Amino acid sequence: MKEDLSILIQAQYPLIYLVTSEEERAEQTIAAIAQSKPQRRVFIWTVTHGIVEYGQPRNVTQHNTVSPEAAVEWVIRQREPGIFVFKDLHPFIDSPAVTRWLRDAVASFKDSQKAIILMSPVQNVPIELEKEVVVLDYPLPNMAELNEVLSQQLELTRSRRITTETREKLLKAALGLTRDEAEKVYRKAHVTAGRLTEAEVDIVLSEKKQLIRRNGILEYIEEDETLDSVGGLEELKHWLRQRSNAFTERAREYGLPQPKGMLILGVPGCGKSLIAKTTSRLWGLPLLRLDMGRVYDGSMVGRSEANLRNALKTAESISPAILFIDEIDKAFAGSTGSADSDGGTSSRIFGSFLTWMQEKSSPVFVMATANRVERLPGEFLRKGRFDELFFVDLPNAEERKEIFRIHLSKRRRDIARFDLDQLVSVCDGFSGAEIEQALVAAMYEAFAQDREFTQLDIIAAIKATLPLSKTMSEQVTALRDWARQRARPAAASIAEYQRLEF
Ligand SMILES: Nc1ncnc2c1ncn2[C@@H]1O[C@H](COP(=O)(O)OP(=O)(O)OP(=O)(O)O)[C@@H](O)[C@H]1O
Ligand SMILES: [Mg+2]
């Protein structure tokens, strides 16, 4: 990152937009770059103090530079090489005068070793400036930077030396946090336990989970279920098991590409979300759920984009990780419609997401689920976007039996007491979720009468249920027809699948 920014400045890019909320860290980077040849002075503008030279006290301010227009004018008048950082100019940037002054500045900077950096947590580039600005995302701290923070903390608290392994665990646990947040988390762990050792890794992790949740878009999910609690879907499970070690160094050395992601399409209630969650256990990777609904925020221009960027940035810094986007069809629904009801926000978000998917080099595996294909834009389903597109159908008899077995044993019931074949035959067309619900209904019935539930209770509950495949039969049929041509069946055995293909 320091390199990218340094190159842009050396190459005399006049206007750079640095998206970050970590001002101090970014300022330090800029100051370090300014030391290299040709040396440049660094000035910082804020709406509270106007222009102040970096490193000077705040009251040593340049006269009359509080207004953004006056500040840019002042910058234009400077003759010496310099880097001029404008903090949080984004609320003012839409003003015609500010935009114009910035364009004037850009025009005047030719061969002048001067650069303006707009530093702000939100990206807001007016159309007039789009051609002049380069946007850079300031990434979250990596292991090396976090190591500095940790070392400082250990020194400050005069802690005992820790082993390299412990150190690595503590660092990994803080990945995804800003420098300030990491510092706070380490301090809190130290204060809570009176030391900072391997045993405090969990404190750091749980603090991180809370911090990540606070922005409300990403959620760190812990899932105890394993693949064994998913009935059927053998083909999909096989695919996932095959990739258990896909994110290791060994896989890279072998020459395998990093898996990018998968899209699971299917009938509601058949285990799509469940399997996505259990993959985290199988692969031993953290699971981050991205709530697309919360990405949207119409309160301010660029806000939604900033939300998405931040979430993706966090996911990247925690990587290798699984990014779980449940019901992605709902989030992108607006981007297919011709009526631009939301001012194009959802198509812009969709565009940034696709670009990110295309270009990401960090090991973030995207696991997306969807019910309604017709809502998904065509570009999304194009080959190569995801590694695989799976279709999860209603469970067949064999799979329904397995689902009964799983849910009965989950409730610690002796399976031998039940005639599974009979149960399976009466619930044709039921989804996994509906089978589970019927079972729970039967248990309630019997519990209310203060007795153990029986085969007959389950059958009665099944008979009382009208499954979705009946009430929404048209949608289900349409989805199946669509998927048969284009997606890989999640349930087919391998032999079956090969027969389909060849
Ligand atoms: N194949 C299955 N094996 C075991 N349990 C299942 C299966 N399918 C569904 N269930 C049960 O039903 C619940 C709901 O399933 P899940 O949320 O995974 O469905 P979904 O396919 O994501 O549905 P939706 O499209 O409505 O989001 C699961 O938590 C699980 O208890
Ligand atoms: Mg779901």
Side-chain angles (χ1 to χ4, degrees), residues 54-72:
Y54 181 73
Q56 296 283 327
R58 282 197 172 155
N59 51 6
V60 192
T61 170
Q62 305 297 329
H63 187 60
N64 231 348
T65 50
V66 165
S67 99
E69 293 91 338
V72 181

Side-chain angles (χ1 to χ4, degrees), residues 273 326-327 369:
S273 306
D326 212 5
E327 314 192 340
T369 75

Side-chain angles (χ1 to χ4, degrees), residues 17 19-20 90-91 93-94 120-127 130 135 137 217 294-311 342-346 348-349 352:
Y17 203 124
V19 188
T20 180
H90 62 271
I93 205 167
D94 288 317
S120 151
V122 219
Q123 186 188 330
N124 179 16
V125 180
I127 193 152
E130 255 168 22
V135 179
D137 249 313
I217 294 158
R294 296 214 182 151
V295 166
Y296 293 94
D297 182 340
S299 68
M300 209 167 98
V301 180
R303 186 62 207 239
S304 310
E305 283 92 332
N307 284 343
L308 181 68
R309 255 165 195 281
N310 281 337
D342 61 354
T345 305
S346 61
R348 272 205 308 279
I349 292 280
S352 346

Side-chain angles (χ1 to χ4, degrees), residues 102 161 399:
L102 283 172
R161 287 180 62 90
E399 293 175 307

Side-chain angles (χ1 to χ4, degrees), residues 8 12 14 29 81 129 171 237 257 294 384 386 407 424-425 471 488:
L8 289 180
Q12 300 188 22
T29 306
L129 289 172
L171 293 176
K237 285 184 195 165
R294 296 214 182 151
F386 290 99
H407 285 287
V424 161
S425 66
T471 55
R488 183 164 169 179

Side-chain angles (χ1 to χ4, degrees), residues 357-374:
M357 279 273 307
Q358 197 81 26
E359 291 173 358
K360 78 182 151 75
S361 54
S362 41
V364 177
F365 185 80
V366 176
M367 222 163 172
T369 75
N371 288 330
R372 309 264 302 261
V373 266
E374 73 280 6

